[in-house]
Amino acid sequence: MGCNPVLYCTDIDSKAMATLQSACWKKNSFRADGGKYQELMAETGTFSADGETWNLYRTEVQNFHTSAFNLITDQTLPFLSQSIDVIFLRNVFIYFSRQNQLIVLRKMYEALKPGGLLFLSVNEIASLDDFEGIPFVKEHDGVVYFLRKLTAAEYEAAQKNGAAKAARPAIERRALGDIK
């Protein structure tokens, strides 16, 4: 039994997307501790490393849908609404004002399926306690913290219990009308 994920990769920097499409990174492209993962990544059968470069096999890149995307100004998501199971958005919020963080959270909410997960860096998620009505709940598995999009039933229960602030009308309609 295998897993055939479809990956949507976005960045505001088109050079970053070009590097991903080339499937080759120089050794210094990763943090200093990234080297300890080369052997583990090679064991997956999708990467190779020669000490100077990390190479993703071209067949793996075919599963990537890449696009330049500005999280703040671009209005149309590069994928369908409510079609994503997991989003990794790391070390992005540290550059944004609170207002822009909420704009991005709303877009990520729209992209996620009900129950979908949004992973942020540790520092970013620690600073998020008030989602201003966006139906996310902060959870953890003991070590890793993430946001989970509430299902319609969870959202309704939270509203009845007064545990969540009233969402913006457009988001509330999406949350209650589109989530099954």
Side-chain angles (χ1 to χ4, degrees), residues 85-93 105 108 112 115-122 124-125 128 136 139-141 143-148:
D85 294 305
V86 179
I87 296 174
F88 292 92
L89 188 71
R90 298 190 33 110
N91 300 319
V92 174
F93 277 22
L105 279 176
M108 298 305 102
L112 285 168
L117 307 177
L118 173 59
F119 288 89
L120 304 166
S121 72
V122 173
E124 292 168 320
I125 202 156
L128 293 173
F136 277 119
E139 296 183 345
H140 65 89
D141 71 352
V143 177
V144 177
Y145 284 78
F146 51 90
L147 301 180
R148 184 175 55 80

Short mmCIF file of all heavy atoms in Angstrom, two decimals, residues 85-93 105 108 112 115-122 124-125 128 136 139-141 143-148:
data_model
loop_
_atom_site.label_atom_id
_atom_site.label_comp_id
_atom_site.label_asym_id
_atom_site.label_seq_id
_atom_site.Cartn_x
_atom_site.Cartn_y
_atom_site.Cartn_z
N ASP A 85 -5.47 18.62 2.48
CA ASP A 85 -5.48 17.93 3.77
C ASP A 85 -4.51 18.57 4.77
O ASP A 85 -4.83 18.66 5.95
CB ASP A 85 -5.08 16.46 3.60
CG ASP A 85 -6.11 15.67 2.81
OD1 ASP A 85 -7.29 15.70 3.22
OD2 ASP A 85 -5.74 15.05 1.81
N VAL A 86 -3.32 18.95 4.30
CA VAL A 86 -2.28 19.47 5.18
C VAL A 86 -1.56 20.62 4.48
O VAL A 86 -1.25 20.53 3.29
CB VAL A 86 -1.23 18.37 5.52
CG1 VAL A 86 -0.12 18.92 6.40
CG2 VAL A 86 -1.88 17.18 6.18
N ILE A 87 -1.31 21.67 5.24
CA ILE A 87 -0.53 22.81 4.74
C ILE A 87 0.63 23.03 5.70
O ILE A 87 0.44 23.07 6.91
CB ILE A 87 -1.38 24.10 4.66
CG1 ILE A 87 -2.50 23.93 3.64
CG2 ILE A 87 -0.49 25.30 4.32
CD1 ILE A 87 -3.47 25.10 3.59
N PHE A 88 1.83 23.16 5.14
CA PHE A 88 3.01 23.54 5.90
C PHE A 88 3.33 24.98 5.53
O PHE A 88 3.64 25.27 4.37
CB PHE A 88 4.20 22.63 5.58
CG PHE A 88 4.01 21.22 6.04
CD1 PHE A 88 3.47 20.27 5.20
CD2 PHE A 88 4.37 20.85 7.32
CE1 PHE A 88 3.28 18.96 5.61
CE2 PHE A 88 4.17 19.54 7.76
CZ PHE A 88 3.63 18.60 6.90
N LEU A 89 3.26 25.86 6.49
CA LEU A 89 3.50 27.28 6.28
C LEU A 89 4.47 27.70 7.37
O LEU A 89 4.08 28.15 8.43
CB LEU A 89 2.17 28.04 6.39
CG LEU A 89 2.16 29.50 6.03
CD1 LEU A 89 2.33 29.66 4.52
CD2 LEU A 89 0.86 30.14 6.46
N ARG A 90 5.74 27.51 7.10
CA ARG A 90 6.74 27.68 8.16
C ARG A 90 7.58 28.92 7.94
O ARG A 90 8.00 29.22 6.84
CB ARG A 90 7.61 26.44 8.22
CG ARG A 90 6.80 25.20 8.58
CD ARG A 90 7.65 24.03 8.88
NE ARG A 90 8.89 24.41 9.51
CZ ARG A 90 9.20 24.16 10.76
NH1 ARG A 90 8.37 23.55 11.53
NH2 ARG A 90 10.37 24.52 11.26
N ASN A 91 7.82 29.59 9.06
CA ASN A 91 8.68 30.78 9.08
C ASN A 91 8.20 31.84 8.10
O ASN A 91 8.99 32.45 7.39
CB ASN A 91 10.14 30.41 8.84
CG ASN A 91 10.65 29.47 9.90
OD1 ASN A 91 10.34 29.64 11.08
ND2 ASN A 91 11.38 28.46 9.52
N VAL A 92 6.90 32.03 8.06
CA VAL A 92 6.28 33.03 7.20
C VAL A 92 5.66 34.13 8.05
O VAL A 92 5.86 35.31 7.79
CB VAL A 92 5.22 32.38 6.29
CG1 VAL A 92 4.46 33.42 5.50
CG2 VAL A 92 5.86 31.37 5.36
N PHE A 93 4.92 33.75 9.09
CA PHE A 93 4.20 34.72 9.90
C PHE A 93 5.13 35.71 10.60
O PHE A 93 4.70 36.80 10.96
CB PHE A 93 3.33 34.02 10.93
CG PHE A 93 1.99 33.57 10.40
CD1 PHE A 93 1.78 33.38 9.04
CD2 PHE A 93 0.95 33.34 11.25
CE1 PHE A 93 0.56 32.97 8.56
CE2 PHE A 93 -0.28 32.93 10.78
CZ PHE A 93 -0.47 32.74 9.42
N LEU A 105 -4.36 33.40 7.41
CA LEU A 105 -5.12 32.35 8.09
C LEU A 105 -6.46 32.11 7.40
O LEU A 105 -6.89 30.96 7.25
CB LEU A 105 -5.35 32.70 9.56
CG LEU A 105 -4.21 32.43 10.51
CD1 LEU A 105 -4.54 32.93 11.91
CD2 LEU A 105 -3.86 30.95 10.54
N MET A 108 -5.81 30.13 4.25
CA MET A 108 -5.47 28.74 4.54
C MET A 108 -6.72 27.99 5.01
O MET A 108 -6.92 26.83 4.66
CB MET A 108 -4.37 28.65 5.60
CG MET A 108 -3.04 29.28 5.19
SD MET A 108 -2.35 28.65 3.64
CE MET A 108 -2.77 29.95 2.48
N LEU A 112 -8.19 24.48 3.18
CA LEU A 112 -8.20 23.19 3.88
C LEU A 112 -9.56 22.50 3.82
O LEU A 112 -10.60 23.13 3.88
CB LEU A 112 -7.83 23.39 5.35
CG LEU A 112 -6.37 23.66 5.65
CD1 LEU A 112 -6.21 24.13 7.08
CD2 LEU A 112 -5.52 22.42 5.38
N GLY A 115 -11.39 19.49 9.00
CA GLY A 115 -10.47 18.67 9.77
C GLY A 115 -9.03 18.77 9.28
O GLY A 115 -8.14 18.15 9.86
N GLY A 116 -8.78 19.57 8.22
CA GLY A 116 -7.44 19.73 7.67
C GLY A 116 -6.49 20.39 8.66
O GLY A 116 -6.92 21.09 9.58
N LEU A 117 -5.19 20.17 8.47
CA LEU A 117 -4.18 20.64 9.41
C LEU A 117 -3.30 21.72 8.79
O LEU A 117 -2.90 21.62 7.63
CB LEU A 117 -3.30 19.48 9.85
CG LEU A 117 -4.03 18.26 10.41
CD1 LEU A 117 -3.03 17.15 10.74
CD2 LEU A 117 -4.87 18.62 11.61
N LEU A 118 -2.98 22.72 9.61
CA LEU A 118 -2.06 23.80 9.22
C LEU A 118 -0.90 23.78 10.19
O LEU A 118 -1.07 24.01 11.39
CB LEU A 118 -2.77 25.15 9.26
CG LEU A 118 -1.91 26.40 9.05
CD1 LEU A 118 -1.21 26.37 7.70
CD2 LEU A 118 -2.77 27.65 9.18
N PHE A 119 0.29 23.47 9.67
CA PHE A 119 1.50 23.44 10.49
C PHE A 119 2.26 24.74 10.30
O PHE A 119 2.53 25.16 9.18
CB PHE A 119 2.40 22.25 10.09
CG PHE A 119 1.85 20.93 10.52
CD1 PHE A 119 0.98 20.23 9.68
CD2 PHE A 119 2.18 20.40 11.75
CE1 PHE A 119 0.46 19.01 10.07
CE2 PHE A 119 1.66 19.17 12.15
CZ PHE A 119 0.80 18.47 11.30
N LEU A 120 2.61 25.36 11.42
CA LEU A 120 3.42 26.57 11.43
C LEU A 120 4.67 26.27 12.24
O LEU A 120 4.76 25.24 12.90
CB LEU A 120 2.63 27.72 12.09
CG LEU A 120 1.26 28.03 11.47
CD1 LEU A 120 0.46 28.92 12.40
CD2 LEU A 120 1.43 28.69 10.13
N SER A 121 5.63 27.19 12.24
CA SER A 121 6.81 26.97 13.08
C SER A 121 6.40 27.13 14.54
O SER A 121 5.36 27.71 14.87
CB SER A 121 7.92 27.96 12.72
OG SER A 121 7.57 29.26 13.15
N VAL A 122 7.22 26.62 15.43
CA VAL A 122 6.93 26.66 16.86
C VAL A 122 6.69 28.09 17.34
O VAL A 122 5.73 28.36 18.06
CB VAL A 122 8.08 26.00 17.65
CG1 VAL A 122 7.89 26.18 19.15
CG2 VAL A 122 8.19 24.53 17.30
N GLU A 124 5.79 30.71 15.66
CA GLU A 124 4.59 31.30 15.06
C GLU A 124 3.32 30.80 15.73
O GLU A 124 2.44 31.58 16.08
CB GLU A 124 4.55 31.01 13.56
CG GLU A 124 5.64 31.73 12.81
CD GLU A 124 5.81 31.24 11.39
OE1 GLU A 124 5.73 30.02 11.16
OE2 GLU A 124 6.03 32.09 10.52
N ILE A 125 3.22 29.53 15.94
CA ILE A 125 1.99 28.99 16.52
C ILE A 125 1.85 29.40 17.98
O ILE A 125 0.74 29.60 18.47
CB ILE A 125 1.89 27.46 16.33
CG1 ILE A 125 0.43 27.04 16.44
CG2 ILE A 125 2.77 26.71 17.29
CD1 ILE A 125 0.10 25.76 15.76
N LEU A 128 -0.08 32.63 18.36
CA LEU A 128 -1.47 32.66 17.89
C LEU A 128 -2.41 32.08 18.94
O LEU A 128 -2.41 30.87 19.18
CB LEU A 128 -1.61 31.87 16.59
CG LEU A 128 -0.92 32.43 15.36
CD1 LEU A 128 -1.03 31.44 14.21
CD2 LEU A 128 -1.53 33.76 14.97
N PHE A 136 -10.51 27.65 13.62
CA PHE A 136 -9.36 26.78 13.84
C PHE A 136 -9.29 26.46 15.33
O PHE A 136 -9.71 27.24 16.16
CB PHE A 136 -8.04 27.49 13.47
CG PHE A 136 -7.68 27.47 12.02
CD1 PHE A 136 -7.54 28.65 11.33
CD2 PHE A 136 -7.43 26.28 11.35
CE1 PHE A 136 -7.18 28.66 9.99
CE2 PHE A 136 -7.07 26.27 10.02
CZ PHE A 136 -6.94 27.45 9.34
N GLU A 139 -4.00 22.46 18.37
CA GLU A 139 -3.84 21.14 18.95
C GLU A 139 -2.37 20.74 18.95
O GLU A 139 -1.54 21.43 18.36
CB GLU A 139 -4.65 20.10 18.14
CG GLU A 139 -6.13 20.33 18.19
CD GLU A 139 -6.93 19.27 17.46
OE1 GLU A 139 -6.36 18.50 16.66
OE2 GLU A 139 -8.13 19.21 17.69
N HIS A 140 -2.07 19.63 19.59
CA HIS A 140 -0.71 19.09 19.57
C HIS A 140 -0.75 17.59 19.78
O HIS A 140 -1.73 17.05 20.27
CB HIS A 140 0.18 19.77 20.62
CG HIS A 140 -0.24 19.50 22.03
ND1 HIS A 140 0.22 18.43 22.74
CD2 HIS A 140 -1.09 20.16 22.84
CE1 HIS A 140 -0.31 18.44 23.95
NE2 HIS A 140 -1.12 19.48 24.03
N ASP A 141 0.34 16.95 19.38
CA ASP A 141 0.44 15.50 19.57
C ASP A 141 1.43 15.17 20.67
O ASP A 141 1.96 14.09 20.73
CB ASP A 141 0.82 14.80 18.26
CG ASP A 141 2.27 15.06 17.88
OD1 ASP A 141 2.93 15.90 18.51
OD2 ASP A 141 2.75 14.41 16.93
N VAL A 143 4.31 16.95 21.10
CA VAL A 143 5.49 17.72 20.77
C VAL A 143 5.18 18.77 19.70
O VAL A 143 5.56 19.92 19.82
CB VAL A 143 6.64 16.79 20.26
CG1 VAL A 143 7.84 17.60 19.85
CG2 VAL A 143 7.01 15.78 21.32
N VAL A 144 4.49 18.35 18.68
CA VAL A 144 4.23 19.22 17.53
C VAL A 144 2.86 19.88 17.68
O VAL A 144 1.86 19.19 17.91
CB VAL A 144 4.28 18.42 16.21
CG1 VAL A 144 3.93 19.30 15.02
CG2 VAL A 144 5.66 17.79 16.04
N TYR A 145 2.84 21.20 17.58
CA TYR A 145 1.57 21.95 17.64
C TYR A 145 1.14 22.30 16.22
O TYR A 145 1.97 22.54 15.34
CB TYR A 145 1.75 23.24 18.44
CG TYR A 145 1.80 22.98 19.92
CD1 TYR A 145 2.95 22.49 20.53
CD2 TYR A 145 0.69 23.23 20.72
CE1 TYR A 145 3.00 22.26 21.89
CE2 TYR A 145 0.73 22.99 22.08
CZ TYR A 145 1.89 22.51 22.66
OH TYR A 145 1.92 22.27 24.00
N PHE A 146 -0.18 22.35 16.01
CA PHE A 146 -0.71 22.68 14.69
C PHE A 146 -2.11 23.24 14.88
O PHE A 146 -2.69 23.17 15.97
CB PHE A 146 -0.74 21.44 13.79
CG PHE A 146 -1.41 20.24 14.42
CD1 PHE A 146 -2.77 20.02 14.28
CD2 PHE A 146 -0.67 19.33 15.17
CE1 PHE A 146 -3.38 18.92 14.86
CE2 PHE A 146 -1.27 18.23 15.76
CZ PHE A 146 -2.64 18.02 15.60
N LEU A 147 -2.65 23.80 13.81
CA LEU A 147 -4.03 24.26 13.80
C LEU A 147 -4.85 23.27 13.01
O LEU A 147 -4.40 22.75 12.00
CB LEU A 147 -4.13 25.64 13.15
CG LEU A 147 -3.31 26.76 13.78
CD1 LEU A 147 -3.53 28.06 13.02
CD2 LEU A 147 -3.64 26.93 15.24
N ARG A 148 -6.05 23.00 13.49
CA ARG A 148 -6.95 22.11 12.78
C ARG A 148 -8.23 22.86 12.46
O ARG A 148 -8.81 23.53 13.30
CB ARG A 148 -7.28 20.86 13.61
CG ARG A 148 -8.15 19.85 12.85
CD ARG A 148 -8.37 18.57 13.64
NE ARG A 148 -8.93 18.81 14.96
CZ ARG A 148 -10.23 19.04 15.20
NH1 ARG A 148 -11.11 19.07 14.22
NH2 ARG A 148 -10.65 19.23 16.44
#
